[in-house]
Amino acid sequence: MIISEDNNEKIINKNQNLAPKKQDFDMSYERNIRPKNFKDYIGQESLKKTLKISIEASKKRSLPLDHLLLYGPPGLGKTTLATIIANEMNVEIKITSAPSLERPRDIIGILMGLKGGEILFIDEIHRLSKVAEEILYPAMEDFYIDLTTGKSQTVKTMRVPVPKFTLIGATTKAGALSGPLRDRFGIIHRLEFYKDEELKEVILRSAKILDIQINDEAALEIAKRSRLTPRIANRLVKRASDWALVKHNGVITLDVAKEALDGLNIDNLGLDNTDRELLNVIAQKYKGGPVGIETLAVAIGEDVATVEDVYEPYLIQSGLLERTLRGRKITNNGLKHIGIKQNNNQMSLF
Ligand code: ADE
């Protein structure tokens, strides 16, 4: 069973007897298509292989799994993997995120509420406050926390045990984690971008669950425009299904998929308007770069973290953008993609 903020939200809605909002439909959609075990989880083969061994070993020893850090770009399935691990270990998982653990009592409350063997999942763990981190260290290492009571001269510290648990931390920025926190994870894994063929399988699986009719070539077309990311693939197949239902007979064929994605301004590499704007700004306003990340973020009206976490990783992975010590540069492939020709360091539109 998963105890999470999502579930609380659902219970509140039920008690107030409110009609579900569109967002709730989307969230329950998402819960339904999320794989619940390794068998249904497509991709990340080497990670699955090593995780299965760690899980089996910890079951044989009747001990909780070592603390695990999952890192990589957003949308690749870090939360999904954590819930699968809980299912495979037959334990409960409590899901939270670092920004909601600001005060010492937030993290203390969660740690003291855990039962033996349970998994605590902390998303965006690089955003944990210093105090929360310091409370976590002895909890992770020796399963106790130090509680302080009183003020200045009368301050007393009490050592309180917490149940043996597994912390699964997820982050898009492994480099932003403090050394001492990173060192307390026994298992550290990076999630890789997906291959088009894997995303095609993700799309076909989700379509089946959601009763969406789609053929193989349409699924591959959507996969190719999903920025190597299953969360995006699942979103695009739903939008293509809307398009097919309203404009055609409900079936997503290759032509319908292309029409729908073109209609959403998602190009053949999966770039949206913001990605193209980012490349255009570097090419035209900054003559190809290098340009600093702050300047770039301001120029396209996004914050630095969004540019770094959401837009850049895929643009770099697809060879359209380069990160150099002096800033971001557009590559020749990037220029070609947005229709700008480079000759003798001069740029002109194709
Ligand atoms: N939905 C999102 N990610 C998935 C994955 N890796 N496998 C199957 N379905 C998914």
Side-chain angles (χ1 to χ4, degrees):
M1 183 195 161
I2 302 168
I3 303 166
S4 71
E5 285 150 14
D6 276 16
N7 278 358
N8 289 342
E9 199 173 304
K10 210 172 154 207
I11 291 162
I12 292 164
N13 279 344
K14 207 159 121 192
N15 290 348
Q16 293 176 337
N17 205 14
L18 296 173
K21 294 171 288 190
K22 180 183 168 297
Q23 195 186 340
D24 296 333
F25 282 123
D26 276 353
M27 276 169 26
S28 60
Y29 244 158
E30 194 131 312
R31 259 195 294 268
N32 279 339
I33 60 176
R34 253 189 195 172
K36 314 251 173 335
N37 47 49
F38 281 129
K39 187 171 60 59
D40 291 338
Y41 188 93
I42 297 154
Q44 308 293 344
E45 296 304 329
S46 82
L47 170 53
K48 276 191 298 196
K49 207 154 110 190
T50 44
L51 275 180
K52 279 181 193 166
I53 291 177
S54 300
I55 289 173
E56 205 176 319
S58 91
K59 278 183 174 169
K60 281 193 167 162
R61 292 191 188 105
S62 298
L63 283 175
L65 189 69
D66 260 358
H67 303 303
L68 163 67
L69 179 67
L70 296 173
Y71 70 98
L76 300 189
K78 295 184 277 290
T79 312
T80 305
L81 259 181
T83 57
I84 289 177
I85 292 168
N87 286 339
E88 301 272 348
M89 294 282 302
N90 262 323
V91 296
E92 288 198 0
I93 178 165
K94 291 199 169 132
I95 298 178
T96 185
S97 78
S100 57
L101 301 174
E102 208 171 293
R103 298 162 307 177
R105 73 168 117 128
D106 299 323
I107 183 82
I108 290 170
I110 286 201
L111 289 169
M112 301 218 11
L114 289 172
K115 296 192 195 79
E118 278 184 359
I119 291 176
L120 171 61
F121 178 79
I122 305 184
D123 203 4
E124 296 188 78
I125 194 155
H126 62 277
R127 294 178 63 186
L128 218 49
S129 65
K130 195 86 208 110
V131 268
E133 258 193 39
E134 275 166 11
I135 293 165
L136 257 185
Y137 294 157
M140 289 174 77
E141 214 156 38
D142 298 311
F143 303 105
Y144 73 82
I145 49 179
D146 281 327
L147 294 183
T148 49
T149 52
K151 286 213 171 97
S152 52
Q153 280 116 332
T154 62
V155 71
K156 278 202 192 102
T157 306
M158 247 186 340
R159 189 153 282 194
V160 180
V162 292
K164 290 203 166 74
F165 69 105
T166 298
L167 175 65
I168 302 184
T171 180
T172 51
K173 288 182 160 50
L177 236 66
S178 73
L181 182 56
R182 202 172 42 238
D183 290 346
R184 283 172 172 82
F185 287 97
I187 315 171
I188 300 183
H189 274 296
R190 190 173 76 164
L191 275 83
E192 304 291 344
F193 276 122
Y194 285 64
K195 299 185 183 75
D196 290 346
E197 277 299 322
E198 292 169 340
L199 284 185
K200 180 183 127 185
E201 294 308 317
V202 169
I203 290 167
L204 292 173
R205 175 183 175 274
S206 303
K208 199 165 163 196
I209 296 169
L210 300 173
D211 223 358
I212 290 172
Q213 291 183 65
I214 184 168
N215 66 26
D216 274 28
E217 28 174 28
L220 185 59
E221 181 66 23
I222 297 176
K224 285 181 179 158
R225 300 204 205 183
S226 296
R227 312 167 66 98
L228 316 173
T229 305
R231 183 187 292 159
I232 297 179
N234 282 332
R235 195 172 71 213
L236 292 184
V237 73
K238 284 180 227 157
R239 298 294 74 82
S241 162
D242 295 346
W243 190 280
L245 202 62
V246 174
K247 300 237 180 204
H248 299 278
N249 61 355
V251 182
I252 312 177
T253 59
L254 179 60
D255 284 345
V256 171
K258 282 184 177 165
E259 201 183 292
L261 297 171
D262 290 347
L264 291 167
N265 286 321
I266 292 167
D267 68 26
N268 60 336
L269 286 185
L271 306 198
D272 64 16
N273 289 336
T274 313
D275 295 300
R276 287 188 296 270
E277 192 190 348
L278 189 149
L279 293 177
N280 264 309
V281 163
I282 304 179
Q284 306 205 24
K285 198 163 174 196
Y286 298 100
K287 305 202 164 25
V291 50
I293 183 76
E294 282 89 6
T295 314
L296 189 56
V298 170
I300 64 161
E302 293 282 351
D303 59 62
V304 171
T306 309
V307 175
E308 280 184 331
D309 297 350
V310 180
Y311 294 104
E312 265 192 359
Y314 176 68
L315 292 172
I316 293 172
Q317 171 81 18
S318 354
L320 304 175
L321 184 76
E322 253 172 8
R323 197 165 17 198
T324 71
L325 283 178
R326 291 171 51 229
R328 276 58 177 175
K329 279 172 74 175
I330 189 165
T331 62
N332 283 339
N333 281 342
L335 288 170
K336 218 186 221 168
H337 188 73
I338 54 170
I340 293 179
K341 194 164 68 180
Q342 192 184 32
N343 35 29
N344 305 331
N345 277 346
Q346 297 279 350
M347 283 185 265
S348 58
L349 292 177
F350 270 126

